[in-house]
Amino acid sequence: MSFNITFNGETKAYENPLTVLDIVGNSKDIVCAYVNNRVRELTYVLDKDSTVVALTCKDRDAKQTYEASLRFLVAMAMHRLHKNVSIRFSYNVSRAVFMQILTPGFVANITLVKELVEEMNRIVEADYPLVRSILSKEEAKKILSKEGFQDKIDILEYRPEKTCHLYDCDGYKNYMYNRMVPSTGYIKKWKIRYYHPGVIIQYPREEMGGEIPEFEDSPTFGKTLKRAYEWGVATRFDSIVNINHRIEKDGDIDVITLGEQRHNRQLCELGELIEADKDNIRLICIAGPSSSGKTTFANRLRIELLSRGIDPIRISMDDYYLPRDQAPKDENGDPDLEAVDALDVDLFNKNMADLVAGETVDLPKFDFKAGHRVKGRTLKVPDNQPIIIEGIHALNDRMTESIPQHQKFKIFIAPQGQINIDNHNPLSLTDLRLLRRIVRDYQFRGSSALETMSMWASVRKGEFKWIYRTQEGANYVFNSFLPEELSVMKKYAMPLLQAIEQENPYFPVAERLIRMLKFFDDMPDQWVPCNSILREFIGGSCYADV
């Protein structure tokens, strides 16, 4: 019985099964494809009516395929060079992957990087096929045991399916929890550099038009990730398996309390720093990417400072938005609400300077329903009362250029957990924030998961342009990640994601998030404190009306 394949606007009938590769051709720029709106490998067999869309590294849903294939290549090369050396991948500075050596006594150095590059090039040049097989979990465990992959065996206990996949590449077997390219010859674009104490691996990015970004070191961000990893290892919150084990062994209350205690400790550190310089600090500036927990954090910081006899006042930068018709336009001619010039920069500067000078100021308030500013509070701030300003541009010195630097204390906030599925498969911090926003927007803003996903690309573009670089000038980075949050949010997020139909263009995103969440144990939220940052997203916050 014949079936039809539509590709590049042309439909053809076929009598016999064929692969996606037979349809899209042999260009190694194509790394995967949509088949009826699902991301599929190029080796996927077509035997029914299908619409095929080729994807390159310029496309949103191809990045994961290419990056996972690149990690496979690096792991394979390391296995060939140093079979008994264990490695761990994580996301790191410059939008890159970091390879860490886990084996005691073996250190990364420039010589290792040179060997690794040479071996990777040999494997790419050989163009070995990556052969996918479906196995029972028991069969897979036997193979993984021979390879020494105990971490991969452990996570299978939480895989709900009875089967799993493995890839064989010239005798090397591994699995990266993602679709893969057909052969190693497709993995040609990458850059590697020594970055003590490991190796940085850069790859093409969709937001860079499928090119590799120039390397940009971010020491503050790097130190924050290092601290997050060390805390995760010390408390056994560094992997899904360990988080699930802690929930099962220690119970919900201990896991939740440990995460909250870490936030409390960071707040205490902040309180000490601000108290030590309270005679100079007039502005406390809080910024971070979307869904970092800025609102709850600002409220909790205020309480921390009150406990030290410091009585700050809060001002939201959102009240300084210009009307939409006055906002700058993006490349599509739409209002760019992520841009700093979407705010009334001059008025904010004047108001902050006047308040610091002790003058009485009439603050604006933005009426989001009406779409314009109205009159807000009238304030006069004494010399000993710092002002907390919170917003995505709060660390941008354009907003406070009239205030001396020594009078500003800058705080960057973001969830920066270092969690892995297994040693070769890190979880995306961006996907964590997207899940937070999906749950929050549905709970409190009447937005569907689809609406949130449709805005995410614009949000991310604004973060890269305006927010991330300000982290490097921060006095303190607050890590808002909580080890229990994905276990708690799972029951909120799963129904929203599962309701997205396959025909929808955001179905591949939903599918990716479901694949991540499914490994986490469910956790009830009854013990999550009302002042937790997590409550900002799931509901029940004591700061909801503050």
Side-chain angles (χ1 to χ4, degrees), residues 66-82 87 89 97-99 111-128 130 169-170 172 176 181 183-194 199-204 212:
Y66 192 90
E67 187 242 310
S69 302
L70 177 57
R71 280 188 276 114
F72 187 102
L73 172 64
V74 175
M76 179 178 175
M78 279 296 295
H79 181 80
R80 289 186 163 197
L81 290 169
H82 304 282
I87 59 173
F89 293 119
V97 170
F98 180 71
M99 185 189 81
T111 300
L112 174 66
V113 171
K114 182 180 178 183
E115 292 175 346
L116 185 59
V117 168
E118 290 174 351
E119 185 60 28
M120 288 172 66
N121 281 327
R122 278 195 289 270
I123 296 171
V124 170
E125 187 65 28
D127 200 17
Y128 299 121
L130 278 82
C169 184
D170 194 41
Y172 175 74
M176 295 295 177
V181 295
S183 64
T184 57
Y186 283 74
I187 319 171
K188 290 186 174 181
K189 283 187 175 182
W190 40 268
K191 293 180 181 178
I192 291 183
R193 65 169 58 216
Y194 175 58
V199 178
I200 284 284
I201 304 136
Q202 294 180 274
Y203 54 93
I212 300 173

Side-chain angles (χ1 to χ4, degrees), residues 171-421:
Y172 175 74
K173 297 176 177 65
N174 206 335
Y175 181 51
M176 295 295 177
Y177 297 88
N178 215 304
R179 280 88 180 187
M180 305 290 281
V181 295
S183 64
T184 57
Y186 283 74
I187 319 171
K188 290 186 174 181
K189 283 187 175 182
W190 40 268
K191 293 180 181 178
I192 291 183
R193 65 169 58 216
Y194 175 58
Y195 190 79
H196 182 78
V199 178
I200 284 284
I201 304 136
Q202 294 180 274
Y203 54 93
R205 302 283 304 199
E206 169 217 345
E207 68 272 11
M208 300 297 294
E211 297 302 318
I212 300 173
E214 288 296 319
F215 179 78
E216 187 174 347
D217 200 2
S218 306
T220 300
F221 181 44
K223 289 176 184 176
T224 303
L225 293 178
K226 183 174 183 289
R227 286 195 297 269
Y229 171 70
E230 290 171 346
W231 184 82
V233 171
T235 55
R236 302 192 307 283
F237 287 132
D238 57 326
S239 70
I240 295 177
V241 168
N242 284 343
I243 289 173
N244 288 345
H245 282 175
R246 292 221 65 164
I247 293 171
E248 295 157 7
K249 177 178 177 290
D250 301 326
D252 303 341
I253 295 176
D254 272 13
V255 170
I256 290 169
T257 304
L258 273 167
E260 296 297 333
Q261 183 56 35
R262 184 171 183 238
H263 282 188
N264 292 338
R265 189 174 68 185
Q266 291 182 83
L267 285 162
C268 182
E269 290 174 357
L270 269 169
E272 290 174 350
L273 291 170
I274 293 169
E275 184 179 23
D277 199 26
K278 65 181 180 180
D279 292 338
N280 288 316
I281 296 171
R282 299 308 314 276
L283 292 185
I284 300 170
C285 312
I286 303 170
S290 175
S291 303
S292 291
K294 293 184 288 292
T295 302
T296 300
F297 168 74
N299 278 298
R300 289 185 63 176
L301 178 60
R302 175 178 169 272
I303 298 299
E304 173 65 33
L305 296 177
L306 282 171
S307 74
R308 298 172 181 274
I310 302 169
D311 186 9
I313 189 165
R314 285 186 58 205
I315 294 176
S316 174
M317 298 183 80
D318 287 354
D319 288 325
Y320 288 81
Y321 270 112
L322 295 167
R324 287 178 68 92
D325 60 356
Q326 295 180 33
K329 301 293 190 292
D330 62 19
E331 66 274 11
N332 299 317
D334 299 320
D336 185 359
L337 301 180
E338 306 297 325
V340 67
D341 290 307
L343 299 168
D344 193 332
V345 177
D346 292 338
L347 179 61
F348 189 84
N349 262 294
K350 183 177 187 306
N351 283 175
M352 294 306 104
D354 289 346
L355 286 172
V356 169
E359 297 182 24
T360 300
V361 175
D362 291 326
L363 298 178
K365 182 174 180 59
F366 196 87
D367 186 329
F368 284 91
K369 289 184 178 178
H372 59 76
R373 293 196 301 262
V374 296
K375 186 180 182 304
R377 297 173 292 170
T378 298
L379 283 182
K380 181 180 174 67
V381 180
D383 289 344
N384 63 348
Q385 187 172 41
I387 303 167
I388 294 177
I389 59 172
E390 174 247 314
I392 62 174
H393 298 293
L395 302 193
N396 188 325
D397 283 327
R398 276 189 61 194
M399 300 301 300
T400 55
E401 59 188 5
S402 56
I403 309 299
Q405 290 292 337
H406 74 278
Q407 293 183 352
K408 292 184 278 193
F409 190 92
K410 298 179 179 180
I411 303 169
F412 188 91
I413 175 173
Q416 295 175 332
Q418 290 282 275
I419 301 176
N420 280 40
I421 300 175

